[in-house]
Amino acid sequence: MLACIQRVSRAQVTVAGELCGRIDGGMLVLLGVAADDTETDARQLAHKIAGLRIFEDEQGKMNLALGDVGGAMLVVSQFTLLGDCRKGRRPSFVAAGPPELAEQLYETFVAAVAEEGIETATGRFRQHMEVELVNDGPVTVLVESK
């Protein structure tokens, strides 16, 4: 699994003009599932990201996790993160998990984040989504499960 994490002051996702998920502060996680990912990958990655210390403490150092600041997580599926652009100009998505596996592991990831006590919001799997965010910092990090 590959996650692009952005620290946000607010973020939301809409499908066909309908608001699906919204947070006022915390993390926007764009989540890509690879063909060889497992439930263990999803749970371990959720635990890792929930505890990721990318929020500033009183001294201005990135030392606090999402739960420490009372933030929420907006999780959006994004298979295009697995796009391989090394050859040619058109990304290859052969490394991305098939939709059935990807949806199952996406749901497992979201449930595992909620089990960590983090308020979660989501987009809609296999839908055209519009994501809006205000990146706070900006802070953007990539985390892989493998």
Side-chain angles (χ1 to χ4, degrees):
M1 296 182 102
L2 177 60
C4 177
I5 301 150
Q6 298 184 0
R7 186 177 74 185
V8 298
S9 54
R10 66 181 177 277
Q12 67 180 32
V13 59
T14 57
V15 173
E18 177 188 342
L19 181 64
C20 298
R22 181 180 191 282
I23 62 170
D24 287 323
M27 294 177 176
L28 167 64
V29 176
L30 304 174
L31 186 67
V33 177
D36 62 347
D37 285 332
T38 66
E39 187 172 316
T40 300
D41 291 312
R43 292 190 174 284
Q44 287 177 343
L45 190 64
H47 179 71
K48 172 85 172 183
I49 292 172
L52 201 59
R53 299 185 324 176
I54 62 169
F55 296 90
E56 294 177 356
D57 62 16
E58 310 81 46
Q59 286 79 39
K61 295 188 187 282
M62 283 198 269
N63 207 21
L64 302 175
L66 195 55
D68 298 329
V69 298
M73 187 183 298
L74 175 59
V75 185
V76 176
S77 63
Q78 186 150 4
F79 81 94
T80 59
L81 283 175
L82 281 291
D84 184 351
C85 299
R86 291 178 289 180
K87 294 182 181 176
R89 293 183 290 175
R90 182 172 180 244
S92 168
F93 298 106
V94 297
E100 299 75 24
L101 172 68
E103 185 170 15
Q104 173 193 348
L105 295 181
Y106 168 79
E107 295 295 339
T108 298
F109 176 90
V110 171
V113 169
E115 289 168 10
E116 295 277 339
I118 304 296
E119 176 189 337
T120 60
T122 64
R124 288 204 187 124
F125 195 84
R126 292 186 86 177
Q127 298 293 310
H128 180 90
M129 294 176 274
E130 294 181 348
V131 180
E132 298 177 51
L133 69 130
V134 176
N135 191 317
D136 181 20
V139 174
T140 302
V141 294
L142 299 174
V143 180
E144 293 183 76
S145 62
K146 304 273 189 233

